[in-house]
Amino acid sequence: MSYPEIRPRRLRRTAAVRRLVSETRVDPAELVVPMFVKEGLTEPRQIAAMPGVLQHSRDSLRKAAAEAVQAGVGGIMLFGVPASRDERGSGGVDPAGILNVAIRDVVAEVGDTTVVMSDLCLDEFTSHGHCGLLTGDGAVDNDATLAAYAEMAVAQAAAGVGMVGASGMMDGQVGVVRRALDAAGHTDVAVLAYAAKYASAFYGPFRDAVESALEGDRRTYQQDPANLRESLREVALDVAEGADLVMVKPALPYLDVVAAVRAAVDVPVAAYQVSGEYAMVEAAAANGWIDRERVMLETLTSIRRAGAQIILTYWAVEAAGLLRQRS
């Protein structure tokens, strides 16, 4: 009776064998949890489009940060939701603005037990919802925006942040931010460059989370989803300007970009599993169509397998617990 002499299934026979030969592992320390803090809240508020994700009050943010540290996540990325906005996004540079206050709160709570990161962009703070300052005819003014980013970076560093997430996709933003930080004596603050950030429809629930006032779209500064080589050019420019890490956003629809970026650079590569990716899984699971926990971990594994060393995900704290149980 003939039979196969080579049987790869031997290495899949039991959970112990599969664990032993696993090629890709996700570690809690590689996960970063994004958190939203809203000015004026006294109790946390559920975000309808993102089940399980909250707009935090200052008090609940501190508690959530401590819980994230206890879970073993590698970092916390902070986003501020101000009570009022103006055309220049003044709340982003104000030391008393909600994001800068939140940075101080979280740093006071967790110290250096995890990496405290902050979103360096104006979109949450502008009345028009764009990531930069506008010209008289409504276009985003790249160079005027760079000056605002420099001021914002210094304000966040003064608040105690360990890493700024330069996410606005302005030409030259990394270099300007790096020079501003260094000139202000914040040479130890790292720059995470959102180097390949696409003009994606997957951001929809996030805009609910930050109560975005955006009218129109961001296609004149975020990347065309059809382009990969352009991403490699953007990444190379950011590394040359001093980026300590680079990121691809979104993650799952752009795994080919993640892999190409990983092959192209020698700095750490991150990927952001964005709100739409999260919301789709949660919605399908709520309808009983998928196994939520298995899909959660499978998506994280796929992003890690593509080459992302660091993953920003709204599941970070929960996934860290699951990973520890299964290790």
Side-chain angles (χ1 to χ4, degrees):
M1 184 176 181
S2 62
Y3 60 89
E5 293 185 0
I6 299 174
R7 294 180 179 269
R9 285 182 56 190
R10 293 189 188 105
L11 299 185
R12 304 174 198 147
R13 189 174 61 85
T14 67
V17 172
R18 292 192 297 272
R19 184 170 60 247
L20 179 67
V21 300
S22 178
E23 298 175 18
T24 303
R25 302 181 194 278
V26 181
D27 189 275
E30 298 170 335
L31 303 179
V32 174
V33 58
M35 291 187 181
F36 304 97
V37 57
K38 180 174 169 60
E39 187 174 10
L41 283 187
T42 56
E43 298 290 337
R45 179 184 296 168
Q46 290 281 341
I47 299 167
M50 301 174 68
V53 180
L54 304 173
Q55 284 183 332
H56 284 286
S57 67
R58 288 178 62 188
D59 286 341
S60 70
L61 177 68
R62 286 192 288 265
K63 181 180 178 182
E67 290 171 350
V69 169
Q70 187 173 15
V73 302
I76 300 169
M77 175 64 79
L78 297 174
F79 296 88
V81 185
S84 62
R85 297 171 166 90
D86 61 29
E87 289 190 355
R88 300 193 63 82
S90 303
V93 300
D94 183 355
I98 185 59
L99 181 54
N100 294 321
V101 168
I103 292 168
R104 289 195 290 273
D105 286 345
V106 172
V107 170
E109 184 70 34
V110 304
D112 60 1
T113 55
T114 194
V115 182
V116 179
M117 311 175 185
S118 53
D119 184 50
L120 190 110
C121 194
L122 292 176
D123 59 319
E124 294 110 274
F125 300 96
T126 55
S127 54
H128 46 74
H130 277 288
C131 297
L133 306 181
L134 302 185
T135 63
D137 61 2
V140 175
D141 186 328
N142 190 94
D143 293 3
T145 299
L146 294 181
Y149 285 177
E151 188 177 357
M152 193 173 185
V154 172
Q156 292 179 358
V161 81
M163 185 178 295
V164 294
S167 65
M169 289 299 288
M170 296 296 119
D171 293 341
Q173 65 182 13
V174 171
V176 164
V177 165
R178 182 72 270 159
R179 288 193 294 273
L181 290 171
D182 290 353
H186 300 296
T187 55
D188 290 337
V189 174
V191 178
L192 166 60
Y194 287 50
K197 183 178 180 180
Y198 285 87
S200 172
F202 283 89
Y203 303 146
F206 175 91
R207 291 172 185 170
D208 287 344
V210 297
E211 301 176 8
S212 174
L214 179 67
E215 296 180 5
D217 59 53
R218 296 173 176 147
R219 296 181 187 181
T220 63
Y221 46 101
Q222 293 178 354
Q223 287 183 248
D224 184 341
N227 294 352
L228 188 153
R229 290 191 300 273
E230 181 184 34
S231 286
L232 299 181
R233 184 184 187 202
E234 290 278 6
V235 167
L237 287 168
D238 284 354
V239 171
E241 290 174 22
D244 298 288
L245 312 86
V246 294
M247 185 153 69
V248 176
K249 180 180 180 182
L252 288 175
Y254 298 91
L255 292 182
D256 59 327
V257 180
V258 174
V261 170
R262 175 65 285 166
V265 301
D266 56 7
V267 299
V269 174
Y272 197 143
Q273 187 177 49
V274 300
S275 60
E277 299 172 60
Y278 173 90
M280 288 193 303
V281 172
E282 290 291 339
N287 278 284
W289 297 335
I290 59 173
D291 181 322
R292 179 178 174 276
E293 289 186 359
R294 284 188 63 191
V295 170
M296 177 198 310
L297 296 180
E298 187 175 340
T299 62
L300 296 174
T301 300
S302 72
I303 297 165
R304 184 71 180 87
R305 190 183 65 243
Q309 179 180 338
I310 299 158
I311 305 171
L312 278 72
T313 175
Y314 299 99
W315 286 311
V317 174
E318 182 180 0
L322 293 172
L323 291 166
R324 284 183 163 182
Q325 290 172 18
R326 299 182 184 194
S327 63

